[in-house]
């Protein structure tokens, strides 16, 4: 629309959604009206643009059996909330994908406190559609081999555990969106330090166990959010919170919730390895010498207040 209005101008279009220039805002204002400040609020001007690619849900990477290497995929892989989609139809409006579903740290619906769901391995944005009998079933479905959405949460999951994970996810989304200070563990922490902690602990949880087809997460997971059966363990990724399967991401975020949130908020959401020093000692035992040193190097960059709050060794 802008291109038809003013022609293609790189200085306007390159960063119009992230950090728009004043000339770009003036052009948009002339086209749609409204005050400049209101237009700024519709952009990501206050966010960390260099973070965004790592916090968008993408299809998990594939493992090339012959070359023994990871093959990244480019498709987006948002999960959905069936309750939100049902409400769309009940309200007489078209079903639509919420932007928050595209965020990789959204695995629990913040409105219904229900686990988001995905479908078969061929799932992509293009395979999401209404079934022919959508009036009866009131839902979107996968056009791949499964033909439906599969619940990806253990049936024993309790509501308090879901609330805890949803609470952490809401705070992390606020950080990615631009909030510079977050309060998760009874103290204010710079967002950048908190997200670094999240990425580093995720890296440590996804390290393979020597002599085993499993990863550290299999031993550290919380009882409510298990690692899915058949998880393709040879696959590796630079950022598991954007490239990992939905159930794996939810399992990781559940462990992070048990570490970062107050015990009263977590309730039963606790790893069998406990919290605090007990948890870190168990993780240290599961890492080999090289992995321990690499994790120590990462942890050396953590905010001291954060390390103290999670009782890091």
């Amino acid at each position: 629309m802008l291109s038809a209005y003013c022609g293609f101008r790189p200085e306007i279009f390159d960063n119009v959604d992230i950090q728009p220039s004043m000339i770009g805002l003036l052009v948009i204002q002339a086209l749609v009206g409204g005050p400049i400040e209101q237009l700024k609020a519709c952009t990501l001007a206050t966010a960390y643009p260099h973070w965004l690619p790592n916090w968008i849900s993408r299809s998990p990477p594939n493992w090339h059996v012959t070359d023994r290497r990871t093959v990244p995929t480019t498709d987006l892989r948002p999960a959905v909330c069936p309750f939100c989609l049902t409400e769309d139809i009940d309200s007489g409006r078209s079903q639509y994908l919420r932007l928050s579903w595209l965020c990789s740290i959204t695995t629990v619906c913040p409105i219904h406190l229900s686990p988001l769901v995905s479908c078969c391995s061929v799932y992509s944005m293009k395979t999401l559609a209404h079934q022919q009998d959508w009036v009866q079933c009131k839902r979107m479905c996968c056009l791949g081999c499964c033909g439906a959405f599969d619940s990806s949460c253990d049936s024993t999951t309790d509501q308090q555990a879901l609330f805890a994970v949803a609470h952490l996810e809401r705070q992390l989304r606020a950080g990615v969106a631009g909030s510079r200070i977050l309060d998760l563990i009874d103290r204010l922490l710079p967002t950048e330090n908190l997200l670094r902690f999240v990425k580093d602990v995720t890296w440590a949880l996804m390290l393979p166990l020597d002599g085993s087809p499993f990863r550290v997460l299999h031993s550290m997971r919380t009882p409510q959010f298990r690692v899915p059966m058949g998880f393709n363990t040879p696959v590796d990724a630079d950022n598991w919170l954007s490239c990992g399967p939905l159930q794996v991401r939810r399992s990781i975020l559940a462990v992070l919730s048990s570490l970062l949130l107050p015990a009263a908020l977590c309730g039963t959401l606790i790893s069998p390895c406990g919290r605090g020093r007990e948890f870190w000692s168990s993780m240290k035992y599961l890492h080999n010498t090289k992995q321990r040193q690499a994790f120590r190097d990462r942890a050396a960059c953590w905010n001291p207040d954060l390390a103290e709050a999670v009782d890091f060794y």
Side-chain angles (χ1 to χ4, degrees):
M1 187 167 63
L2 273 177
S3 179
Y5 177 75
C6 64
F8 183 78
R9 301 170 66 177
E11 69 273 17
I12 294 177
F13 291 97
D14 285 351
N15 295 298
V16 66
D17 293 324
I18 297 177
Q19 194 76 47
S21 63
M22 183 53 67
I23 184 175
L25 288 172
L26 291 173
V27 170
I28 298 173
Q29 184 184 38
L31 178 63
V32 302
I36 293 292
E37 292 304 316
Q38 191 173 26
L39 294 176
K40 286 182 178 179
C42 295
T43 70
L44 298 171
T46 59
Y48 294 95
H50 58 285
W51 287 356
L52 295 178
N54 290 330
W55 300 98
I56 301 297
S57 299
R58 301 187 181 280
S59 296
N62 298 316
W63 182 254
H64 195 293
V65 177
T66 304
D67 294 347
R68 306 291 297 173
R69 62 184 176 87
T70 299
V71 181
T73 53
T74 58
D75 292 338
L76 297 181
R77 189 186 173 97
V80 301
C81 173
F83 295 101
C84 287
L85 295 176
T86 299
E87 285 183 357
D88 289 338
I89 290 182
D90 290 341
S91 301
R93 59 175 178 261
S94 297
Q95 293 174 310
Y96 65 96
L97 295 176
R98 277 64 170 172
L99 283 176
S100 63
W101 295 347
L102 293 166
C103 183
S104 62
I105 45 180
T106 303
T107 70
V108 177
C109 176
I111 298 174
H112 300 99
L113 293 182
S114 62
L116 299 186
V117 297
S118 61
C119 50
C120 66
S121 59
V122 296
Y123 178 90
S124 71
M125 291 284 287
K126 296 179 181 178
T127 64
L128 191 66
H130 296 289
Q131 284 187 332
Q132 291 181 349
D133 58 342
W134 65 270
V135 175
Q136 284 76 33
C137 69
K138 291 189 175 182
R139 67 173 178 177
M140 285 178 154
C141 73
C142 167
L143 297 182
C145 60
C146 70
F149 290 117
D150 296 324
S151 176
S152 55
C153 185
D154 193 303
S155 60
T156 61
T157 300
D158 59 80
Q159 286 299 306
Q160 189 174 14
L162 284 168
F163 176 80
V165 175
H167 180 76
L168 175 67
E169 293 178 355
R170 185 182 297 112
Q171 295 297 316
L172 294 179
R173 282 196 303 272
V176 174
S179 297
R180 294 309 201 249
I181 301 293
L182 295 178
D183 181 7
L184 279 175
I185 42 182
D186 298 327
R187 67 185 73 192
L188 297 175
L189 293 169
T191 299
E192 191 160 5
N193 291 326
L194 184 60
L195 291 179
R196 177 191 291 272
F197 172 85
V198 167
K199 294 183 69 172
D200 289 344
V201 176
T202 297
W203 173 85
L205 288 171
M206 293 307 296
L207 289 174
L209 288 171
D210 287 346
S212 164
F214 302 110
R215 295 179 185 266
V216 173
L217 179 63
H218 285 85
S219 299
M220 312 295 287
R221 64 192 180 186
T222 60
Q224 297 92 339
F225 300 96
R226 300 180 179 277
V227 181
M229 294 293 293
F231 172 58
N232 192 5
T233 51
V235 174
D236 211 348
D238 292 333
N239 191 331
W240 281 104
L241 284 178
S242 63
C243 296
L246 175 63
Q247 285 176 274
V248 172
R249 288 187 277 125
R250 187 156 45 222
S251 182
I252 294 170
L253 288 162
V255 175
L256 289 166
S257 299
S258 73
L259 297 174
L260 287 167
L261 299 180
L265 186 59
C266 288
T268 59
L269 188 67
I270 300 176
S271 165
C273 300
R275 289 167 55 98
R277 193 65 59 92
E278 183 182 0
F279 177 91
W280 302 116
S281 297
S282 299
M283 179 179 282
K284 180 179 180 180
Y285 174 78
L286 293 171
H287 289 163
N288 60 37
T289 303
K290 184 178 179 180
Q291 292 169 345
R292 288 188 201 122
Q293 184 57 54
F295 189 42
R296 278 197 294 267
D297 293 341
R298 287 172 176 258
C301 300
W302 292 354
N303 180 287
D305 289 339
L306 176 57
E308 180 185 353
V310 297
D311 198 18
F312 185 69
Y313 62 80

